[in-house]
Amino acid sequence: MKNIISLFLFITFIISSTSVGASGIEITSPDHALQARFILTEQGELIWEVDYEGKEVLLPSWLGIAGYQENLLVKDVLTTSADSVWYPLYGERKVVADRFNGKTIRLARERSNDILAVEVRAYNEGLAFRYFFEENPEGGAYISIAGENTGFTFPEGTLAWHAKYAQAEYNLVPLKNWEAESERPLTLVLPNDLYACITEAQVVNYARTKFTLDPQKENTIRCSQYDVVDEITPFASPWRVLMVARKPGDLLANNDILLNLNDPCEIEHTWWIVRVKY
């Protein structure tokens, strides 16, 4: 179980107007190195972009899922922040820090009371978001998720360590003419001396998702969902994660972000679990 000692935990709620303005909704990591912006276009489409230490990581890219791709309105925006530590039962570290700044962007379709929330967390290690289908006041509703509109548009010249399947050979290739989809996680080499990794966390009751190139937009990677997901609200998609670092080794060293995005251990009594060092 995550035995959490809160050093500083606070949650504040800011209700915005339905217009987010030309500057969009901005979020920054606790160390201020990572900046992300979410913008609603005139067509009601949600896009996002990410910088790291003033360098471009992600150019404007589309977001959306299951009928929430256009004609959207921002109902309100909730702001959250957390700074805490917890003790894992096993792993690389005795103490794991969970520190992020967050936004929850609540979206509605025109002439509809259904709400889709895009939950965003900015860590020092990277940015994560997921789609959350809120429960209708009248009760849970059936939803069918045939695919996502999630895109990652990288700067020209970005290279990817591509693998066709788990444990396949990795090849460093440009973002064009892939022979097949790419496995997760996918590590990328940016032309501005940064490294990135796109992956996922908390995959529960969801179809396998890999990465494919967008045939209609250059230098763009999209989520490729294996099958339809049928569920009942409330329901959350897996976290989509974009990690960023100056050195490739830092992507591995900063993997606590994935631990923090998954649910804590639900085993109440853990005395019988014995740690062994090999």
Side-chain angles (χ1 to χ4, degrees):
M1 176 180 289
K2 277 187 183 178
N3 297 315
I4 300 177
I5 297 180
S6 294
L7 301 176
F8 182 63
L9 175 62
F10 65 90
I11 300 178
T12 58
F13 298 96
I14 300 177
I15 308 299
S16 73
S17 66
T18 55
S19 174
V20 298
S23 61
I25 300 165
E26 297 183 350
I27 184 171
T28 305
S29 61
D31 64 0
H32 303 291
L34 184 145
Q35 300 88 31
R37 185 168 59 162
F38 294 78
I39 303 168
L40 200 65
T41 69
E42 293 182 356
Q43 293 74 34
E45 301 164 314
L46 187 65
I47 61 176
W48 66 312
E49 56 188 10
V50 179
D51 294 341
Y52 185 81
E53 295 183 336
K55 298 180 179 180
E56 291 182 333
V57 175
L58 200 70
L59 305 182
S61 307
W62 304 113
L63 292 176
I65 188 173
Y68 288 86
Q69 290 96 7
E70 58 187 1
N71 299 321
L72 301 175
L73 303 171
V74 175
K75 299 291 289 186
D76 49 51
V77 180
L78 313 180
T79 298
T80 64
S81 297
D83 190 348
S84 63
V85 300
W86 57 280
Y87 296 92
L89 292 174
Y90 59 88
E92 301 175 65
R93 285 168 281 279
K94 292 183 178 179
V95 181
V96 174
D98 187 11
R99 188 183 183 204
F100 66 84
N101 294 323
K103 298 279 188 183
T104 298
I105 307 169
R106 300 180 69 243
L107 302 169
R109 292 174 291 194
E110 292 182 359
R111 298 179 294 277
S112 173
N113 293 325
D114 294 332
I115 298 294
L116 175 73
V118 180
E119 300 178 352
V120 186
R121 293 183 183 181
Y123 293 83
N124 293 342
E125 301 86 355
L127 185 136
F129 70 89
R130 68 178 179 181
Y131 304 103
F132 180 73
F133 294 86
E134 297 185 6
E135 185 175 8
N136 190 287
E138 299 179 358
Y142 287 97
I143 56 172
S144 184
I145 304 172
E148 296 185 17
N149 197 38
T150 302
F152 304 84
T153 301
F154 291 97
E156 176 71 33
T158 295
L159 301 176
W161 283 102
H162 179 280
K164 298 179 183 178
Y165 50 86
Q167 301 180 13
E169 179 182 356
Y170 281 87
N171 294 285
L172 188 61
V173 298
L175 303 187
K176 58 184 64 176
N177 301 324
W178 286 2
E179 295 182 6
E181 297 175 338
S182 173
E183 262 293 355
R184 312 134 300 157
L186 178 60
T187 301
L188 301 119
V189 183
L190 276 62
N192 53 17
D193 298 323
L194 292 176
Y195 296 84
C197 175
I198 49 178
T199 186
E200 59 187 0
Q202 199 176 21
V203 184
V204 179
N205 296 332
Y206 211 83
R208 183 271 289 151
T209 301
K210 291 187 178 183
F211 298 120
T212 187
L213 294 177
D214 189 329
Q216 299 179 339
K217 190 177 182 183
E218 293 185 351
N219 304 309
T220 299
I221 298 170
R222 296 178 60 89
C223 291
S224 177
Q225 187 173 306
Y226 178 72
D227 204 353
V228 176
V229 175
D230 294 315
E231 270 293 342
I232 301 176
T233 60
F235 179 74
S237 76
W239 290 97
R240 305 301 177 201
V241 185
L242 172 66
M243 300 176 65
V244 189
R246 302 187 196 95
K247 299 181 296 183
D250 289 343
L251 295 174
L252 182 61
N254 294 339
N255 60 15
D256 284 350
I257 184 175
L258 301 180
L259 297 178
N260 287 321
L261 290 169
N262 284 284
D263 285 339
C265 176
E266 295 184 359
I267 301 174
E268 183 177 358
H269 302 291
T270 59
W271 57 267
W272 52 274
I273 299 177
V274 180
R275 301 173 181 86
V276 177
K277 185 176 182 179
Y278 293 95

